[in-house]
Amino acid sequence: PASRRNGPAPRRTSTPGQNDRSCGGTASAADRNATSAGAAATTDPSTTASSRKRGHQNGTATATATATATTTTTGRKRRRPAAHQQQDPRVSLRLVQNAAAKSDENPKVRKLTDDEWGDMSDIFATAFPDGSKFCVYVKEGTNVIEIFAIYPPQDGIPEEPYANRTSEILIQAFGGRIFNWNDLAPFAPKGFCKRVKLKEIRRVLLSNPHIIADCFARMIETLDDNKIVYVAGDIPQIAFSAALGWGIVKELEAPGEYGVGRYQIGGKNVYAIYAYHPSSGITAHGKGSTTRALKHDLEIIRAVAEVSKHGYEVRTGELDAAISGKVSVSVLLWKEGAKEVQKYLDIPMGPNGWWPEELRVLRLVNFADPFFFETIKYLHEEKSISKEKILGLLSVPGVASA
């Protein structure tokens, strides 16, 4: 019944905000926290004032990493050892294992009934303290991009999937309404999105695999060969990884240097990429490392869309080359810089080609700036700081981003 789908009753009244995913809608907690990142690891501390100024003009910050590393080394201010310093980094630097993926239950891909969703509103009650309403966005049909997200924006209306600032930004970035929304928790909060408890949503999803399966069932309805699945944020990434473990998603080609892989979902061969949620750039007010990383992500997604827009299927092993022909020079330089750092610090990538959980903050680094890599080499080769300690330092929010 419709009355049961209106979600849990509000516990308190909240002043209505904009119908906007930027309030926190489907952005992950890590994405929003990362926007507060501070100075970057950059130059040699012995650099002159003029060279530091020149480095700043090139988009870098002061030598935060060197100063912090020196403090840690001398013992003047000891910090709790990071996981990388407690055990072998090749063991600890891995994608967080998903409890749901280990479950004996492999959920059937099917859409939940209205009555089932009525019961779900009670399960999600704690996650939406100001109340929520059931909202599954109406799709216009098959689109180039299917966005795999968390929940709709505040006061979302099912018939108006593009009536929010996040959608407007994507329309501009992609050149049109070429995307559909697929929310894991189809409940639009009645209060501010910043009050939504993401940890509770994650707990509910991992405890109820059939909810994740429902989202895939809705996505498959408008999915076609050579389309793109945009995994937007950390919680959708966890759900996508779980679906790989269940067999709902099958890997055809592992993600390459751009993080784009080929998968089979519902019998359709598609591309998928794990990227920042688009609202993360809004919450950063168009500035900073998060906005820069988001622009790179969206440019890569658009490049894949251009490669596959006429149903063209890239042969195995040729996807990275096809993307390289479509992206800008800044994205190419970022990719090459990231490869250098990964190789130098012996960072193993996660099983899906993504940065390990503890170093996911490195996605915010401006790898196109050579000063970042040079500083890492300086710390290790000149200051004799171990790679494990450098990894532990880089995992601290605010150190790696610029």
Side-chain angles (χ1 to χ4, degrees), residues 86-121:
Q86 298 171 1
Q87 53 183 308
D88 188 292
R90 290 190 177 276
V91 176
S92 61
L93 292 182
R94 64 180 185 275
L95 209 60
V96 170
Q97 292 298 315
N98 192 327
K102 297 180 180 180
S103 172
D104 294 333
E105 176 189 4
N106 288 337
K108 181 180 179 181
V109 179
R110 68 174 182 88
K111 294 172 64 176
L112 298 178
T113 65
D114 289 349
D115 287 342
E116 288 175 310
W117 275 123
D119 296 334
M120 291 299 143
S121 65

Side-chain angles (χ1 to χ4, degrees), residues 225-242:
D225 284 326
N226 301 316
K227 302 305 180 183
I228 304 164
V229 177
Y230 172 6
V231 184
D234 290 342
I235 292 180
Q237 180 267 315
I238 292 171
F240 194 87
S241 295

Side-chain angles (χ1 to χ4, degrees), residues 331-361:
V331 174
L332 292 174
L333 291 175
W334 185 94
K335 182 198 69 170
E336 293 303 319
K339 285 173 59 179
E340 282 186 326
V341 173
Q342 179 192 348
K343 182 178 180 180
Y344 186 80
L345 293 178
D346 302 319
I347 301 175
M349 299 302 279
N352 300 317
W354 302 321
W355 288 103
E357 172 73 15
E358 297 171 358
L359 286 179
R360 206 169 290 174
V361 67

Side-chain angles (χ1 to χ4, degrees), residues 41-44 51 54-55 58 60 368-376:
T42 54
T43 58
D44 183 329
S51 63
R54 185 168 59 253
N58 286 332
T60 62
D369 188 340
F371 283 104
F372 181 80
F373 183 45
E374 292 302 321
T375 300
I376 289 177

Side-chain angles (χ1 to χ4, degrees), residues 337-400:
K339 285 173 59 179
E340 282 186 326
V341 173
Q342 179 192 348
K343 182 178 180 180
Y344 186 80
L345 293 178
D346 302 319
I347 301 175
M349 299 302 279
N352 300 317
W354 302 321
W355 288 103
E357 172 73 15
E358 297 171 358
L359 286 179
R360 206 169 290 174
V361 67
L362 288 182
R363 293 187 300 156
L364 298 174
V365 172
N366 183 14
F367 289 113
D369 188 340
F371 283 104
F372 181 80
F373 183 45
E374 292 302 321
T375 300
I376 289 177
K377 292 176 64 178
Y378 169 81
L379 293 174
H380 180 61
E381 298 173 9
E382 301 295 331
K383 293 296 184 179
S384 301
I385 299 176
S386 70
K387 293 181 180 180
E388 288 77 11
K389 288 186 177 180
I390 294 176
L391 285 172
L393 174 64
L394 294 178
S395 66
V396 177
V399 174

